[in-house]
Amino acid sequence: MQRRLLVMVAGVGLVVAVGLLGAVAGWGRLVDAVLVALAGAGVVLLLDLRRRAGESGVLFRRAAERDRELARQVGGVVRTVAAMKGSAGLEARLLDALKPLATTLGEFDERIAAPVQRALGPDGQMEQMERRVFGSFEAERLRAADRHREVLAAVTDTGQDVRELKKSVTAGHKRVVTDLTAVSRDETRQVEALLQIIPGLEERRALLPPTGRWAMDARSVAHLLDLVRAQRPGLVVELGSGTSSVWLGYELTRIGGRLTSVDHDEVFAGLTREALTRHGLTEVAEVRVAPLTDLDDSVWYDRDALADLDAIDVLIVDGPPGSLGERVRSAAMPFFAERLAPGALVLLDDSDRPDEAAIAQEWAEEFGLERIETGVSRLAVLRRPAR
């Protein structure tokens, strides 16, 4: 019995040690398994104790019944002896012989019956042990339940985080795919435009300037050259010099006409002059510097530098840069409206931006310009009525 108890205590101690190690190491599942094992061991121990208590109780009850039976027999003998007449000597001898038996029965009651009664009684040790075991089991069950709730809450939070992350990743993936698709489509359109306009050059005299980024993109350049070719202008005025100035110079050399390109930046204007010189286009194209001056709540080109421009057949508005303020290009038509030739074209670049889109709409309404070829490129194309 003692050996079996020691084995059980050692096993429980080992399980507890493993549980403490798992708790320190943060192994939640191992700790839960140890708690379940302890609970199972407690149930098994309780059931074993109750079984042994039952067996002991049966044995003790049988001993008590045997004790009572012996007591009845002894009492019967004593009464029989007392009833015998004239046998006083025999009675005395029988009583003396039965005294050791009575003493033995008394000792049995003190050593066996009383401890059994205490163990099985309402305040017995067995009941106290049972209460302690049940109390320990209940405490472990409550701790296991708390641990289960914590794990469930953690899993729920993790699931929510995973769902939010999945939504974010999905939305980000869609945005990336959309952006990549737009970039790919735009690049394809730019390459297609370059393949259309380069063969139109009868003689390329130097490396052609790049399109895109700050410069006019290839599709807008192709659109511009188509419009100029159809318009056959005598004078083209371009607000904002650069790549388009070279392409226009080649086209105007072929069809006849002149280009005046205006820039507010002396350095950038100098680079455009160098490009025109390198391509041999200075006879048909000039670059003017018109510094920016204050105009109401915005800025615009110095008007004195543009005062001699008149009878303009094509006006290209690609400056000042939009980074200088909102609607900085809106002052172009109030200044050039009376300087346009009948049927002149007004081309506003970057019309896919909100400011430029609003400016084109206002010019059409205020100056009676007709909008044509919408959506071909980033150029908003407006025409002054012919008189």
Side-chain angles (χ1 to χ4, degrees), residues 83-162:
M84 296 174 63
K85 301 297 184 178
S87 315
L90 179 61
E91 179 181 357
R93 288 195 297 273
L94 287 175
L95 289 174
D96 292 337
L98 290 175
K99 284 182 179 178
L101 178 60
T103 302
T104 301
L105 292 176
E107 292 177 353
F108 175 81
D109 182 68
E110 292 178 358
R111 296 180 181 180
I112 303 298
V116 169
Q117 182 63 32
R118 288 196 302 271
L120 297 178
D123 298 324
Q125 298 175 357
M126 185 67 70
E127 183 177 354
Q128 294 176 7
M129 181 181 294
E130 181 179 335
R131 285 199 297 269
R132 285 197 296 270
V133 171
F134 270 116
S136 299
F137 175 76
E138 181 66 14
E140 294 299 331
R141 188 189 68 80
L142 293 176
R143 279 196 289 270
D146 293 339
R147 179 62 176 167
H148 174 72
R149 284 193 293 271
E150 292 175 1
V151 172
L152 183 61
V155 170
T156 303
D157 294 341
T158 302
Q160 182 65 26
D161 293 340
V162 169

Side-chain angles (χ1 to χ4, degrees), residues 176-215:
V176 170
V177 171
T178 301
D179 293 344
L180 288 177
T181 302
V183 169
S184 177
R185 182 169 53 246
D186 185 65
E187 290 299 321
T188 300
R189 297 176 66 190
Q190 301 308 318
V191 172
E192 290 174 347
L194 286 173
L195 292 175
Q196 293 180 59
I197 61 177
I198 289 178
L201 294 178
E202 296 181 357
E203 181 182 358
R204 181 174 62 84
R205 302 164 189 169
L207 181 66
L208 292 169
T211 59
R213 290 183 60 82
W214 300 111

Side-chain angles (χ1 to χ4, degrees), residues 9-25 27 30-31 34 38:
V9 171
V12 172
L14 179 60
V15 173
V16 171
V18 173
L20 292 176
L21 179 61
V24 172
W27 299 336
L30 179 59
V31 174
V34 169
L38 287 176

Side-chain angles (χ1 to χ4, degrees), residues 44-376:
V44 171
L45 180 60
L46 178 61
L47 293 176
D48 185 66
L49 289 175
R50 291 181 68 86
R51 181 181 64 80
R52 291 181 177 278
E55 294 176 353
S56 299
V58 171
L59 293 175
F60 291 153
R61 282 193 293 273
R62 288 179 181 176
E65 291 176 358
R66 184 62 176 167
D67 178 32
R68 287 193 295 272
E69 180 64 24
L70 288 175
R72 283 196 299 272
Q73 292 178 4
V74 172
V77 171
V78 171
R79 286 193 297 274
T80 300
V81 171
M84 296 174 63
K85 301 297 184 178
S87 315
L90 179 61
E91 179 181 357
R93 288 195 297 273
L94 287 175
L95 289 174
D96 292 337
L98 290 175
K99 284 182 179 178
L101 178 60
T103 302
T104 301
L105 292 176
E107 292 177 353
F108 175 81
D109 182 68
E110 292 178 358
R111 296 180 181 180
I112 303 298
V116 169
Q117 182 63 32
R118 288 196 302 271
L120 297 178
D123 298 324
Q125 298 175 357
M126 185 67 70
E127 183 177 354
Q128 294 176 7
M129 181 181 294
E130 181 179 335
R131 285 199 297 269
R132 285 197 296 270
V133 171
F134 270 116
S136 299
F137 175 76
E138 181 66 14
E140 294 299 331
R141 188 189 68 80
L142 293 176
R143 279 196 289 270
D146 293 339
R147 179 62 176 167
H148 174 72
R149 284 193 293 271
E150 292 175 1
V151 172
L152 183 61
V155 170
T156 303
D157 294 341
T158 302
Q160 182 65 26
D161 293 340
V162 169
R163 286 191 292 272
E164 294 297 330
L165 179 60
K166 183 178 179 181
K167 290 180 182 179
S168 177
V169 170
T170 301
H173 174 72
K174 290 181 179 179
R175 286 196 299 270
V176 170
V177 171
T178 301
D179 293 344
L180 288 177
T181 302
V183 169
S184 177
R185 182 169 53 246
D186 185 65
E187 290 299 321
T188 300
R189 297 176 66 190
Q190 301 308 318
V191 172
E192 290 174 347
L194 286 173
L195 292 175
Q196 293 180 59
I197 61 177
I198 289 178
L201 294 178
E202 296 181 357
E203 181 182 358
R204 181 174 62 84
R205 302 164 189 169
L207 181 66
L208 292 169
T211 59
R213 290 183 60 82
W214 300 111
M216 188 177 291
D217 67 357
R219 188 166 181 84
S220 296
V221 170
H223 191 197
L224 171 63
L225 296 180
D226 284 346
L227 292 169
V228 169
R229 191 175 299 119
Q231 187 77 1
R232 304 188 71 83
L235 175 62
V236 176
V237 174
E238 178 187 37
L239 304 181
S241 67
T243 295
S244 56
S245 304
V246 174
W247 291 97
L248 283 169
Y250 273 111
E251 186 63 30
L252 292 174
T253 298
R254 190 177 68 83
I255 65 175
R258 290 189 55 80
L259 168 67
T260 297
S261 186
V262 180
D263 207 296
H264 72 283
D265 190 317
E266 180 65 54
V267 174
F268 203 83
L271 294 175
T272 304
R273 289 194 191 100
E274 291 178 3
L276 292 172
T277 300
R278 187 165 56 253
H279 287 271
L281 300 173
T282 55
E283 292 184 2
V284 296
E286 67 164 330
V287 181
R288 293 188 184 184
V289 176
L292 297 177
T293 60
D294 292 334
L295 179 67
D296 298 331
D297 57 349
S298 183
V299 294
W300 202 65
Y301 300 107
D302 182 6
R303 300 184 179 190
D304 292 340
L306 311 175
D308 62 323
L309 298 175
D310 200 8
I312 301 169
D313 296 300
V314 176
L315 173 64
I316 305 169
V317 183
D318 193 16
S323 59
L324 296 178
E326 297 180 358
R327 301 170 61 85
V328 292
R329 299 178 182 179
S330 61
M333 272 305 296
F335 179 80
F336 284 110
E338 299 302 324
R339 293 175 168 82
L340 297 176
L345 292 178
V346 178
L347 311 179
L348 177 60
D349 193 20
D350 302 312
S351 63
D352 56 336
R353 299 190 307 211
D355 279 358
E356 279 68 18
I359 291 171
Q361 183 64 31
E362 290 178 3
W363 286 354
E365 296 174 356
E366 184 175 352
F367 299 98
L369 303 179
E370 177 188 3
R371 298 200 64 170
I372 59 176
E373 299 191 18
T374 302
V376 178

